[in-house]
Amino acid sequence: MPSHSSHSSFVPSTPAAMLDVWNLGVMAFELWSTSLSTIAMRQGLWQTQSPTSVRMLKENQRMVTEKLEASLETSFEVQKAMLQMAFGQTAPWWVTSRRTMTPYHRRSSANSRRLSRQR
């Protein structure tokens, strides 16, 4: 049977931690919905613009660059969490999850807003 300490580290036990878990869920839903809308808007651009147009070349380059930057930021957060664990400093899963999801969430939300203004 698992000990109480392992259970308490997995399940949030304070109102602040429960709010963090709620906010993580909201962030995940926003990331999902803005990602879908961004994909749909980019698909619309690809259908209406010439693939060799300056606008499409810039948009495609921006998309690739942002994904690479978000991947690097997320990788750094994962490495930081692993180093902290190696030195005995652990953060709850909801904190680590939020930190690793933030780069994608920030870019996806910004892209969705930017592309919706271009229509």
Side-chain angles (χ1 to χ4, degrees):
M1 179 154 192
S3 69
H4 178 68
S5 64
S6 68
H7 178 71
S8 65
S9 64
F10 183 74
V11 178
S13 58
T14 65
M18 290 177 199
L19 183 61
D20 282 347
V21 172
W22 172 262
N23 288 334
L24 176 64
V26 170
M27 179 187 269
F29 179 77
E30 288 173 351
L31 177 59
W32 173 76
S33 63
T34 58
S35 294
L36 288 179
S37 67
T38 300
I39 290 167
M41 286 185 273
R42 281 194 172 130
Q43 182 68 24
L45 281 177
W46 289 333
Q47 291 175 349
T48 60
Q49 304 285 318
S50 167
T52 57
S53 72
V54 173
R55 180 179 181 195
M56 284 307 297
L57 292 173
K58 284 182 180 179
E59 181 61 33
N60 289 336
Q61 183 62 46
R62 184 176 190 159
M63 176 180 61
V64 170
T65 301
E66 287 180 344
K67 287 190 185 318
L68 288 172
E69 289 172 350
S71 295
L72 283 173
E73 285 182 47
T74 299
S75 297
F76 290 142
E77 287 298 333
V78 169
Q79 287 177 349
K80 189 166 59 173
M82 290 174 66
L83 279 173
Q84 288 173 340
M85 286 189 320
F87 290 109
Q89 304 168 349
T90 59
W93 63 266
W94 53 89
V95 172
T96 307
S97 298
R98 183 177 38 81
R99 288 178 184 163
T100 57
M101 203 184 314
T102 296
Y104 289 106
H105 179 267
R106 184 177 57 247
R107 283 176 175 82
S108 182
S109 299
N111 286 337
S112 184
R113 283 190 306 271
R114 180 179 52 79
L115 289 169
S116 67
R117 287 191 304 260
Q118 290 182 1
R119 288 184 155 206

